[in-house]
Amino acid sequence: MKQTVIDSKYWHGVVMILLILTLVSCFEDESLNEKEKEVDEPTSALDVYIDEHFTDEYNIAVRYKYVDNYVEPGQNVAPPKLEMVRPMLDFVDDYWIAPYLAVENGEDFFRRYVPAELIFLGGLIYNGDGTVTLGTADAGARITYTNVNGYDLSDPEWLKLQLQVTYHEFAHIIHQEFKLPSGFENISPEGYSSAGSWYNLTDEEALQRGFVSPYATSSANEDFAEMVAFYVFDADFFANYIDQDTGCVTAQCELDNAGKKKILEKLTSIKDHYLKVTGIDLDELRAELQSRL
């Protein structure tokens, strides 16, 4: 299972002091794995619901039992509480599946490229380096959600975390299948860090380099996926990452503005690429998701 990390402006103060919020890295292997879907016979009302609404409908297997099979050796994670599984399924349906099905060409794309498995874990995964795994993906075949037991749609941090996991991981399908937009890596080439040093950056330092998060600096692929996720789920995306400060009186402000210009260039490139290779208008997808939040 490969690791992906997610970082955003939403987690500040004490939370950021206590830990670096990370996801497990995504896609060192850029090939798409066609994972065979193993489907258990439904044995309860919940299993019947999953079978009918996810497995039969979208060919998605949902795993909420035997979590040791879906984490790295030495990692201990509790399964989700049974009463949290159905609400999490509703989250996936309402905030991921439904928005794609509602936009032009979205349903065809979703049904073709949806991962084979969704894994639900009850809590976070604490790593030996002090980071915390918030969610994982495996080469387009699986998405793992952590902290399902913390389900709370009224908690903006929980909601934005799960949205970011969802849209970040699904965005990797695009560059795996269709490559990155032409010239994307050259928009802010000097700003990239590395998988082992990105977490030393602050949010503002990343912004000034032309990135929406420190993790986005770790590679062009992660930059792409972070851009897509932030654009779709963040209601304040334009205020945070695009709008220029016309009253700059400090060098810091000028650096922020320069970084935002690079982010706007990336966003334009990404939206054009999505429309060209998938027929999906990211503005429509963003509007559809935002209407549900």
Side-chain angles (χ1 to χ4, degrees):
M1 186 180 295
K2 302 181 178 177
Q3 296 197 337
T4 299
V5 186
I6 286 185
D7 190 76
S8 82
K9 288 178 178 287
Y10 291 104
W11 301 304
H12 295 287
V14 175
V15 174
M16 292 302 296
I17 294 172
L18 292 176
L19 51 83
I20 299 172
L21 295 180
T22 71
L23 274 186
V24 186
S25 179
C26 297
F27 296 104
E28 295 174 4
D29 179 358
E30 296 302 327
S31 62
L32 284 172
N33 292 342
E34 294 295 331
K35 183 177 179 63
E36 182 179 353
K37 300 177 175 70
E38 300 175 1
V39 180
D40 298 328
E41 287 298 320
T43 58
S44 67
L46 176 60
D47 291 330
V48 170
Y49 178 82
I50 291 172
D51 194 54
E52 292 178 351
H53 290 81
F54 290 86
T55 307
D56 291 345
E57 182 64 27
Y58 303 109
N59 206 21
I60 304 171
V62 178
R63 313 295 191 189
Y64 64 93
K65 305 172 184 176
Y66 313 114
V67 296
D68 287 347
N69 295 335
Y70 305 113
V71 297
E72 298 292 338
Q75 292 179 330
N76 297 314
V77 184
K81 297 176 182 177
L82 193 60
E83 64 268 23
M84 294 298 188
V85 175
R86 177 60 189 272
M88 192 65 190
L89 292 170
D90 291 341
F91 165 84
V92 169
D93 198 6
D94 293 341
Y95 296 104
W96 181 28
I97 298 177
Y100 267 95
L101 268 55
V103 301
E104 186 174 2
N105 299 312
E107 181 170 359
D108 289 343
F109 178 82
F110 184 87
R111 288 183 181 277
R112 180 174 180 181
Y113 293 107
V114 65
E117 291 182 314
L118 301 182
I119 312 300
F120 292 170
L121 303 180
L124 303 173
I125 302 174
Y126 292 88
N127 304 310
D129 61 2
T131 61
V132 178
T133 298
L134 303 177
T136 75
D138 186 5
R142 171 188 295 169
I143 293 178
T144 299
Y145 291 95
T146 65
N147 201 25
V148 172
N149 289 343
Y151 176 92
D152 184 358
L153 293 181
S154 66
D155 179 353
E157 291 186 1
W158 185 92
L159 178 60
K160 290 167 184 174
L161 163 64
Q162 304 299 346
L163 290 171
Q164 192 170 351
V165 170
T166 300
Y167 283 94
H168 176 108
E169 301 306 343
F170 203 41
H172 278 295
I173 296 297
I174 298 297
H175 70 73
Q176 289 181 306
E177 189 72 11
F178 305 106
K179 300 183 179 180
L180 291 170
S182 178
F184 181 83
E185 306 98 315
N186 299 322
I187 295 175
S188 55
E190 71 287 347
Y192 290 107
S193 54
S194 68
S197 65
W198 63 266
Y199 47 77
N200 293 317
L201 296 175
T202 66
D203 288 340
E204 185 167 23
E205 287 170 338
L207 174 66
Q208 291 174 357
R209 293 185 180 197
F211 298 83
V212 295
S213 73
Y215 183 60
T217 71
S218 63
S219 74
N221 290 341
E222 300 306 335
D223 186 14
F224 177 86
E226 286 282 84
M227 279 288 302
V228 173
F230 275 62
Y231 180 63
V232 173
F233 85 79
D234 187 355
D236 298 320
F237 183 88
F238 288 97
N240 291 334
Y241 305 107
I242 300 295
D243 295 345
Q244 294 283 296
D245 186 340
T246 58
C248 275
V249 294
T250 67
Q252 197 84 351
C253 178
E254 294 291 350
L255 289 172
D256 289 350
N257 278 349
K260 288 180 178 181
K261 288 180 180 179
K262 294 177 182 179
I263 291 174
L264 176 58
E265 187 176 353
K266 290 178 183 180
L267 177 62
T268 301
S269 175
I270 288 172
K271 291 198 296 184
D272 289 346
H273 189 60
Y274 255 81
L275 193 59
K276 178 181 179 181
V277 301
T278 71
I280 296 173
D281 186 331
L282 277 183
D283 290 341
E284 292 182 5
L285 185 63
R286 169 183 164 85
E288 184 63 34
L289 177 60
Q290 292 300 316
S291 72
R292 298 169 179 271
L293 296 176

